[in-house]
Each structure stands twice: as C-alpha cells, then as structure tokens.
Amino acid sequence: MRAVHDGRVLYSDWFKGYGKILIVDHGEGYYTLFGHTSALLKSVGEEVRGGETVALVGDTGSLKGPCLYFEIRQRGRPLDPLEWLAN
C-alpha cells in the first residue's frame, strides 16, 4: 500500500476491528487509514511521501481473508476514496 500524499504517521499498531493499521496525517484535517495489513513499514512520527510504500496487504483482524481497508477522512468525516484516486 502506498501513501496517497505526503504526510506524517499518526498511528502504526494493532487496532480492534481493523487489525494492524496505519494512519497518516496529511495536514489540514486530512487523514488516510490502511487496515488489515500484514506489515506496517512506517512508525509513529515518520514522514512519508506520496507514492511511498507504507504497509503490506494482509488479513489481520479480517473476517474475509486478505483484503485492504482504506479510508480518507477530513476533520473526522469519511470521504469517497474513488473521487481522490481517480485524480
């Protein structure tokens, strides 16, 4: 999984219901969350660049097997990631 934009890792650990997750703070209230990863490649406080690999897909905490849980949030509200990824 790759960071969608530059930012700083806010959380990198296990979280109930999501397995191993990575949360990146992109500034101005924007965050991305990657869940059910098999490996977290970045630690809290590390800076990431857009396009940089930050985690590996896995099935930690998943009931469906290997998959990716991905969220984009702005000030706590979920946004449709397809609108972002299409650009």
Side-chain angles (χ1 to χ4, degrees), residues 14-87:
W14 182 270
F15 195 85
K16 186 177 180 179
Y18 295 89
K20 292 180 185 177
I21 69 166
L22 186 86
I23 300 174
V24 179
D25 179 352
H26 301 286
E28 298 183 31
Y30 288 96
Y31 300 88
T32 51
L33 184 149
F34 304 87
H36 304 305
T37 67
S38 65
L40 301 165
L41 306 179
K42 296 293 180 179
S43 300
V44 171
E46 283 190 77
E47 290 190 22
V48 299
R49 300 277 179 232
E52 183 177 1
T53 302
V54 295
L56 303 178
V57 173
D59 65 358
T60 60
S62 170
L63 299 175
K64 298 187 280 186
C67 64
L68 165 63
Y69 181 84
F70 179 72
E71 265 188 29
I72 297 176
R73 290 189 166 260
Q74 181 185 25
R75 294 181 182 86
R77 290 177 317 132
L79 302 176
D80 182 355
L82 292 179
E83 292 176 17
W84 283 74
L85 300 176
N87 294 329

